[in-house]
Amino acid sequence: MNRKDPMLLTSENQTLDSYAPGLRERLYGHGLLANEGAQSTAVADWSDTGGTSLIVPTALGGAGASAVDAVRFQTAIGAVAPSLAAATTMHHLSCATLFEAAEDASQDERDLIRALVEGGTVMASGFSEGSPGGSVFRPTMTARRDGDDYLLSGRKAPCSLSRSMSLLVASALVDDSERAVVLVFDGAEGLRREEFWKSPVLAAAESDALILDDVRVESDMVFLTSESDPDDVHEMTGYLWFGLLISACYLGVATRMVERLTDRDRLDPKLFSSALAEVETMRTALHAVAREFDEGARGGDVSARLALVRWSMREALVRVQSMVREAVGGFAYMQDPELAYAFEAVQVFGYHPPSRRDTADRLVQWARGEDFRYV
């Protein structure tokens, strides 16, 4: 029986090939288990093929990908290297934070950001996460002025790309009053790593802990944001990028699971169609928010819609996993370690911030006509 190649990831793979030529061939050549293993070269493959500048505007030396293209790009990576997709989402969050800060930056600061982008710098994200009291908008790292410099202290755990990063982009509270984005280069005195991530699932994301103990940072590496972004607009924009791209990662995992069902000779068409419907509904909803973002939407309303998409995806991903498990049966599960790994990886989606507990009340308030905010 002759079969054409499955079409479920065609546009995503084309987008990946456009922005990072050769990356898809490398990732599929290694295979999912190698990409997720202890000796994974996926991060190096990604940086070698130009993936680091994906969402940075062309004016700052980047590829200038739209949100829709960036979602497609991350979906394609998530299908074959979920750890890489999750880890690089944090890199892109760092990039978004920098180019948002660049809107109010001096020319020297813009030149610095451009040099980092054009140099293919791999950036780890040192933004706090979790509850509203420790969200990306409420830094847990602290900095204090020391002459013309700053001394930065704190801990980020987990911190994706902790072993491959050249630069840490962190949020900090300066002298207990001003918020800032701080740049710390790898190798700085007072910066160290500690083992943190012990689960084998998504271990290749390099999500260990970074500890900072009075790391000296020169003033031109500190972007004060309290005055330039008093309403957190730039930070909320960065968080929109995060939400879109982390969702795309797990959409890729789920899409690849469903795509692989097309290889089976015996397949319940109703079960397959139900799983496919879940994937396509997630894709359509995520792309709709990304398209709205590309058209200029910012702030509370688009953030609320993305929060709702992520809320629905959490349950949809569980349904897809359940249906694929039923479709392949126990024997195939035991014989296919890639599929077994994907079943576990897709579950991690629910652990990414913000939690449902932190979002639910704000969605109720938004539905009643109030502005949606994460803080």
Side-chain angles (χ1 to χ4, degrees):
M1 177 179 179
N2 294 324
R3 289 195 180 101
K4 296 181 179 179
D5 291 334
M7 302 292 291
L8 303 190
L9 288 163
T10 298
S11 63
E12 287 79 3
N13 286 334
Q14 289 172 346
T15 302
L16 176 58
D17 292 344
S18 174
Y19 286 100
L23 178 57
R24 181 163 62 97
E25 288 78 5
R26 292 193 191 189
L27 295 178
Y28 276 93
H30 300 321
L32 185 144
L33 295 182
N35 291 331
E36 298 299 292
Q39 305 303 316
S40 174
T41 61
V43 173
D45 293 334
W46 165 78
S47 61
D48 288 347
T49 52
T52 56
S53 66
L54 179 68
I55 69 169
V56 180
T58 55
L60 290 172
S66 67
V68 171
D69 272 358
V71 165
R72 291 190 177 115
F73 186 99
Q74 291 297 94
T75 302
I77 292 179
V80 66
S83 287
L84 177 63
T88 57
T89 291
M90 304 311 296
H91 165 90
H92 296 310
L93 172 59
S94 295
C95 288
T97 302
L98 282 181
F99 69 68
E100 286 291 320
E103 291 190 8
D104 305 298
S106 67
Q107 187 57 50
D108 286 345
E109 290 170 329
R110 290 175 64 86
D111 289 343
L112 169 63
I113 294 171
R114 185 182 183 93
L116 293 171
V117 171
E118 291 181 341
T121 305
V122 176
M123 304 181 196
S125 174
F127 296 91
S128 51
E129 301 170 348
S131 65
S135 75
V136 70
F137 306 105
R138 292 291 179 264
T140 57
M141 291 193 189
T142 60
R144 69 180 192 276
R145 289 180 174 87
D146 185 62
D148 294 332
D149 300 334
Y150 295 82
L151 297 177
L152 181 65
S153 296
R155 182 175 188 267
K156 177 63 169 64
C159 184
S160 298
L161 296 173
S162 61
R163 297 190 294 275
S164 294
M165 67 109 180
S166 300
L167 180 72
L168 172 67
V169 181
S171 61
L173 193 63
V174 178
D175 294 334
D176 298 323
S177 59
E178 295 182 276
R179 289 178 296 107
V181 174
V182 184
L183 310 185
V184 179
F185 285 97
D186 186 31
E189 185 177 355
L191 172 65
R192 70 182 191 276
R193 296 168 177 80
E194 289 184 357
E195 183 182 2
F196 181 83
W197 192 277
K198 297 184 179 180
S199 169
V201 180
L202 300 187
E206 304 178 1
S207 297
D208 287 324
L210 290 183
I211 314 299
L212 295 91
D213 185 11
D214 279 348
V215 174
R216 183 168 294 277
V217 183
E218 295 180 0
S219 59
D220 58 358
M221 296 293 171
V222 178
F223 297 77
L224 297 174
T225 60
S226 294
E227 293 183 1
S228 62
D229 189 25
D231 298 322
D232 300 327
V233 173
H234 293 336
E235 288 181 274
M236 286 188 73
T237 300
Y239 210 67
L240 280 166
W241 276 115
F242 168 78
L244 288 168
L245 299 184
I246 200 64
S247 299
C249 164
Y250 294 92
L251 174 63
V253 179
T255 304
R256 179 59 176 156
M257 282 196 292
V258 175
E259 185 181 70
R260 290 189 61 189
L261 293 181
T262 62
D263 295 332
R264 301 179 65 81
D265 292 320
R266 299 179 62 184
L267 180 62
D268 182 338
K270 290 184 179 179
L271 190 60
F272 173 79
S273 296
S274 294
L276 180 59
E278 295 282 4
V279 164
E280 289 302 313
T281 299
M282 286 188 282
R283 188 200 318 266
T284 299
L286 195 58
H287 282 201
V289 176
R291 194 167 292 109
E292 187 178 356
F293 183 92
D294 285 335
E295 292 170 354
R298 300 293 186 273
D301 287 347
V302 68
S303 296
R305 281 188 278 276
L306 179 57
L308 290 168
V309 170
R310 293 179 65 187
W311 190 292
S312 65
M313 278 187 64
R314 182 171 176 177
E315 297 173 349
L317 289 167
V318 172
R319 291 193 295 270
V320 170
Q321 183 216 55
S322 177
M323 286 184 281
V324 173
R325 281 182 185 272
E326 182 179 350
V328 301
F331 187 76
Y333 173 80
M334 289 182 281
Q335 294 294 311
D336 191 338
E338 286 196 0
L339 197 56
Y341 183 89
F343 289 157
E344 296 300 321
V346 80
Q347 299 286 347
V348 184
F349 179 76
Y351 299 141
H352 291 285
S355 69
R356 286 189 166 194
R357 180 187 61 254
D358 296 334
T359 305
D361 286 344
R362 288 165 176 77
L363 287 172
V364 171
Q365 294 165 2
W366 175 74
R368 289 173 173 167
E370 298 182 27
D371 191 27
F372 180 87
R373 298 180 64 83
Y374 285 112
V375 291

